[in-house]
Amino acid sequence: MQVTRILAVRHGETAWNRDTRIQGHTDIELNDHGRWQAARLADALRDEPIAACYASDLLRALETAQAVAHARGQTVTPHIGLRERCFGRFEGHTWSELEHRFPEESLAWRKRVPDFAPDGGESLLQLEARVVSTVQEIAARHPGEQILLVAHGGVLDILYRAATRLGLQAPRSWELTNTAINRLLWSPEGLSLVGWADAGHLQPEQGKTLDERHA
């Protein structure tokens, strides 16, 4: 059986990341540091065999993927299924604003209640179903090849859990650093983990651990 090797990467930094402001489906571009991270990522992956580059259609992910693809003379295929979790009315608010304005909903979010969805947004269960089916669809096109997927913190969190068979409510103990390189294998049996959170290309500046509220 031929597996598909996946390089899964979270987009570069945005101004809203720095402000601890929820982005979700809101289309925020990279900041200057995020563009620097994307350029470092492109350099780190320059010699990797990559058959195809896919990205969320949101600008922060698309711009990150384009930095890698353009350095290789390739193009990026955007896919709406790789979007961040939709946070509905949470989007645009900082963590502290959410705790003040929507205390009960904010608590359910922080506790990772699987079927909780902010008004107008997605639940973790809905996000999981979307992300897993999207990655299965994409990976099945490339047996025996390696592909790049550039997405978001919430998407990468789901992929880690799927590959390690962890439940949606298990506490997060792994890093989701902007533009860190994460390696997975996909077969029809599912995902498996090869390597996680390689941020050597960002040295000497270290990325920060991503908790649930960075999505």
Side-chain angles (χ1 to χ4, degrees):
M1 181 186 303
Q2 288 189 313
V3 301
T4 303
R5 291 171 291 149
I6 298 172
L7 300 170
V9 176
R10 183 184 174 215
H11 62 79
E13 184 184 83
T14 72
W16 280 26
N17 287 147
R18 288 217 169 184
D19 293 342
T20 69
R21 198 174 297 280
I22 303 300
Q23 295 177 111
H25 284 190
T26 306
D27 207 5
I28 307 300
E29 65 180 2
L30 299 179
N31 62 15
D32 287 343
H33 185 62
R35 294 186 183 96
W36 174 84
Q37 290 173 321
R40 294 296 295 266
L41 174 68
D43 189 60
L45 296 180
R46 188 176 300 274
D47 296 325
E48 289 270 358
I50 298 176
C53 301
Y54 295 87
S56 158
D57 64 336
L58 296 176
L59 187 58
R60 56 194 185 272
L62 196 57
E63 188 176 355
T64 303
Q66 286 170 341
V68 177
H70 290 175
R72 306 167 57 86
Q74 293 175 290
T75 59
V76 177
T77 301
H79 198 305
I80 194 172
L82 294 173
R83 280 189 177 192
E84 179 61 284
R85 178 182 178 182
C86 179
F87 278 94
R89 67 175 179 179
F90 275 20
E91 294 183 16
H93 294 290
T94 64
W95 307 341
S96 59
E97 288 170 350
L98 289 175
E99 290 171 0
H100 177 71
R101 294 190 60 180
F102 313 114
E104 292 185 5
E105 291 178 72
S106 181
L107 181 62
W109 167 47
R110 292 197 309 273
K111 288 189 172 183
R112 301 185 58 87
V113 175
D115 60 355
F116 164 72
D119 188 22
E122 287 179 289
S123 69
L124 282 173
L125 289 170
Q126 291 171 320
L127 175 68
E128 178 184 49
R130 169 167 64 84
V131 169
V132 170
S133 65
T134 295
V135 172
Q136 287 175 342
E137 170 205 326
I138 293 173
R141 302 174 190 170
H142 299 279
E145 296 178 325
Q146 179 167 257
I147 60 174
L148 174 70
L149 302 181
V150 180
H152 307 266
V155 174
L156 271 288
D157 179 77
I158 292 295
L159 293 181
Y160 185 96
R161 292 172 190 275
T164 58
R165 311 302 187 262
L166 282 175
L168 290 175
Q169 285 194 280
R172 185 183 296 174
S173 60
W174 52 94
E175 294 183 349
L176 292 173
T177 306
N178 291 102
T179 72
I181 299 167
N182 309 292
R183 297 177 186 269
L184 303 159
L185 294 178
W186 178 88
S187 74
E189 280 72 41
L191 288 165
S192 58
L193 188 65
V194 176
W196 198 261
D198 178 0
H201 56 289
L202 301 178
Q203 299 296 337
E205 181 171 315
Q206 297 290 334
K208 297 181 180 179
T209 300
L210 177 73
D211 69 18
E212 176 64 15
R213 298 179 296 179
H214 280 73

